[in-house]
Amino acid sequence: MATAGVDLSAFNKEELPDTSGMRFGIVVAEWNEKITEALYQGAFDTFIATGTPERQITRINVPGTFELVYGAKQLCEKDIFDAVIVIGNVIQGETRHFDFVCEGVTQGVVDLNVRYDTPVIFCVLTDNNIEQSRARSGGKHGNKGVECAVAAVKMAALRRVVH
Ligand SMILES: Nc1c(NC[C@H](O)[C@H](O)[C@H](O)CO)[nH]c(=O)[nH]c1=O
Ligand SMILES: CC(=O)[C@@H](O)COP(=O)(O)O
């Protein structure tokens, strides 16, 4: 099912656990910052809405999506977060660079989820154009940052159950 027809911002707070005792890390790419800042705000607001104290949300910035993996690795190494979200926006240009950035961050996040006990949530928009990015960062399809924060909360709760 594609994003079209899905509201990425839709969630029922009552169906989520209280996050007052949880800590979340958010790694934000500076490339396409208008998009990544909107994604970050969606994620941050969702954590606050589910009860996370602001002091328990840690943000770090990296230059671009390709560096998200290194940033998330630094947070995972601390082993203090219930979940980490990586936020990026990759937009197709004239060359195949798009493919390699997307492949690199995708495989890197997979590797982090295998190597560390901290769920790393993939909040990377990989779009053909800026219009698609706008639509998924608070536009007609909602905000993927919200969707990914909900995923982070659910995975954090799962991690506590299985521990
Ligand atoms: N074109 C985009 C990039 N490119 C930069 C890379 O992510 C990386 O920072 C560079 O190759 C140095 O390692 N990054 C994005 O986040 N979005 C793009 O559209
Ligand atoms: C994803 C990218 O790195 C890309 O936007 C860069 O653009 P180009 O392929 O035209 O160099």
Side-chain angles (χ1 to χ4, degrees):
M1 183 176 184
T3 298
V6 173
D7 179 358
L8 295 169
S9 298
F11 74 97
N12 181 347
K13 190 172 67 170
E14 307 312 316
E15 295 176 354
L16 295 177
D18 173 64
T19 63
S20 59
M22 293 183 179
R23 293 191 65 171
F24 297 101
I26 309 178
V27 189
V28 185
E30 295 167 344
W31 255 80
N32 299 322
E33 66 175 346
K34 288 186 179 179
I35 302 299
T36 59
E37 287 303 323
L39 294 170
Y40 169 78
Q41 200 59 54
F44 179 86
D45 291 347
T46 303
F47 286 140
I48 297 294
T50 59
T52 313
E54 189 168 340
R55 66 181 179 278
Q56 290 168 210
I57 302 170
T58 300
R59 169 179 175 163
I60 62 173
N61 293 347
V62 293
T65 291
F66 193 82
E67 286 77 35
L68 287 173
V69 174
Y70 180 87
K73 173 189 167 184
Q74 302 313 311
L75 297 186
C76 291
E77 284 280 353
K78 295 179 181 298
D79 196 22
I80 60 174
F81 296 103
D82 291 275
V84 168
I85 299 180
V86 295
I87 293 179
N89 175 220
V90 194
I91 299 176
Q92 178 66 63
E94 296 176 353
T95 72
R96 295 180 58 214
H97 195 234
F98 172 91
D99 299 333
F100 298 111
V101 171
C102 293
E103 288 170 13
V105 68
T106 303
Q107 190 55 54
V109 170
V110 168
D111 293 347
L112 291 173
N113 277 288
V114 171
R115 178 175 175 185
Y116 292 97
D117 187 38
T118 303
V120 181
I121 309 303
F122 188 78
C123 188
V124 178
L125 296 178
T126 54
D127 300 323
N128 295 313
N129 51 61
I130 188 65
E131 290 75 23
Q132 290 180 346
S133 302
R134 291 185 182 126
R136 291 159 176 77
S137 56
K140 66 179 179 179
H141 294 318
N143 189 323
K144 192 158 190 70
V146 174
E147 179 207 29
C148 288
V150 170
V153 168
K154 290 178 176 179
M155 292 305 292
L158 169 66
R159 179 172 178 268
R160 291 187 172 207
V161 165
V162 299
H163 269 201

